Amino acid sequence: MCRIFGSFATRVTRPELAEVSARQRHGGPDEHGTLVGPGWSLGCDRLAVTDPAHGRQPYRLASVPGVLVVLNGEIYNHHELRRRMAARGHRIPGACDGQVLPALYAEYGADFAAQLDGMFAIAVVDVRPGGPPQLVLAVDDMGMKGIYYHSGSGGSGGSGSGGGVRFASELPALLAFRDVPADPREEALDSVLATRTPLGEATALRGVRTLPPGATAVATGAYGLRVHRRTPRAPAPRGDARTVLRREVRRLARADVPLCAITSGGLDSGLVTALAAEHARAVGAPPPHSFHLTYRGRWPGAEHGYARAVARRAGTVHHQVELDPAEFAELLPRAVQHLGQPNADPITLSTYALFRAVREAGFTVALTGDGADELFGGYDRVRAALAAPPGADWVSPYVEALAAVPRPLREWLYTPAYRALIADRGSDSERIAADLRAAPTARIATVTGFETRHRLPAYHLRRVDHLSMAWAVEARMPFCQPAMAALAGRLPAAARTGKRALYAAGRGLVPEAVLRRPKQPFTLPLGAMLTAGSPLMELARDTLSPGRVHHDGRLRADRVQALLARQAARPTDTTALAVWALLVHELWRGQPAAGSVPVRVAA
């Protein structure tokens, strides 16, 4: 697991590269390597997980001089690939997973990523004699690891002409390249309020994009970056949900560094925790450690009792991490900074604090339950959409459920000029609704396709990656493996809705109390915490001051103040989430990653 960066078909300076590396070194504190050639650069900040004593990056092999590779992530089938490459004459030293990549690229070219099983973001610079220099970028099928890039051709994915490419694992690091501007998109505020974060390949900054899940991108000196989507790996699942998940947990529980499990108190993380403990017993290893985050004091929706029950049943060494709400005003700006662009889910603060505790306890790898809701239809909005009768409008309520701020409230908060701008350019929610209505697939395939291909990588996996790596922790996600995705895709609609297949898998593994409890997300009890006089409310009042809001030009300052007063007088979850989304966006807007400049909307 690492942070990677580089450039192609453009000149950069070593001080630039040093600054890029420094801005994401929190995720790769163990080793740093950079190579620079005519018109290209490649670098890595390494978090040493597999074969920690070896595997220095960028990777190079004597058998393929001129092929240079950096990897962020884990390649789980590297032993099999190593044997295959050795049979073709490649001598691969050490036991690090990424050392096989130069040989794999030499054999398969830009199609090499189709051979990989893992979570990865990879950059290859090919400067072998006899062919044009080439840059290849690739990310895994689920989007567990990502790449931000800026292309001189505009980064549209088309065949632009002559544009240099700069890329990095984190957006603030990418902005350290002097030719990458911090230019916020006017529509980004509406994206945050309507879908909680920018979805798809666009980011909150103009000209900065991310590779979509399962994408490979190629650039040569004659063309900008050209992006195409690979056919996803779809192994035939063998067995039921418990059998497949057990196999994935055991594969991902192998590590050369200390490993733990995240235990929220819900079904998904409970299954992963139980199976990780089962695996430890099977191989004669000590019981794994489990981590749960709660909040000091008494708050509604506390889950620590359920998490303790999971830990007792599984036999883990359990850590209950208590976060003091007095820390929120200090921690939230840091979490927003690490994310690089705004994400309005209150879980960001909890996630950031939880991985801090994991790292401070000495763990480098954590197993999590992320991805289960998207693959197995766990969200209320999904169940409601699938339950709507034929002919009913299921799309409108589904899209509205994605929002941090309901549409009428958004339009009430916007200035007339900003309302006109969004009406002219169209909102993300309108585009999503149009795409869902036009989809040719059955409703369950349409909904789960949107959840897994668009919302999961941008909203969920990107958050987990950035906030775990903020503390140099590698988060591994058994539910996001190809075998689990293939299993979910082959289930009948009834078994894929409401996570029925996972509830069946949990019987006998997790406590009955966890199976019977209503679904509850791991997040802040925001409505109870964002109240008059609380640390969060004071941070919101300071950050959303009338002067700052008016200077930006997109929100009516008087109505933002009215919203704050409403939440202080009559706290509700809906109003609290609206305030939170505005707070997160404004904290982001004030940071260097957003340029620290107002977005001027013409009247």
Side-chain angles (χ1 to χ4, degrees), residues 78 84 106 134 165 231 296 379 386 394 400 508 511 522 533 542:
H78 68 99
R84 194 194 309 171
Q134 182 168 267
V165 180
T231 301
R296 193 167 298 167
Y379 293 120
L386 298 180
W394 61 270
E400 185 69 5
F522 165 56
D542 290 344

Side-chain angles (χ1 to χ4, degrees), residues 87-101:
R88 298 190 182 191
H90 296 281
R91 183 179 178 275
I92 303 172
C96 186
D97 55 338
Q99 288 172 313
V100 74
L101 292 173

Side-chain angles (χ1 to χ4, degrees), residues 69-147:
V69 184
V70 288
L71 161 69
N72 169 27
E74 293 287 338
I75 307 302
Y76 300 125
N77 65 335
H78 68 99
H79 294 295
E80 171 202 334
L81 295 174
R82 185 180 292 264
R83 289 190 294 269
R84 194 194 309 171
M85 294 301 100
R88 298 190 182 191
H90 296 281
R91 183 179 178 275
I92 303 172
C96 186
D97 55 338
Q99 288 172 313
V100 74
L101 292 173
L104 202 68
Y105 176 83
E107 296 293 332
Y108 293 96
D111 294 330
F112 77 99
Q115 309 299 316
L116 300 176
D117 176 11
M119 57 176 178
F120 56 84
I122 298 169
V124 181
V125 169
D126 181 354
V127 288
R128 289 176 292 181
Q134 182 168 267
L135 169 72
V136 179
L137 305 176
V139 296
D140 64 79
D141 289 349
M142 294 294 285
M144 289 177 278
K145 293 294 167 185
I147 294 178

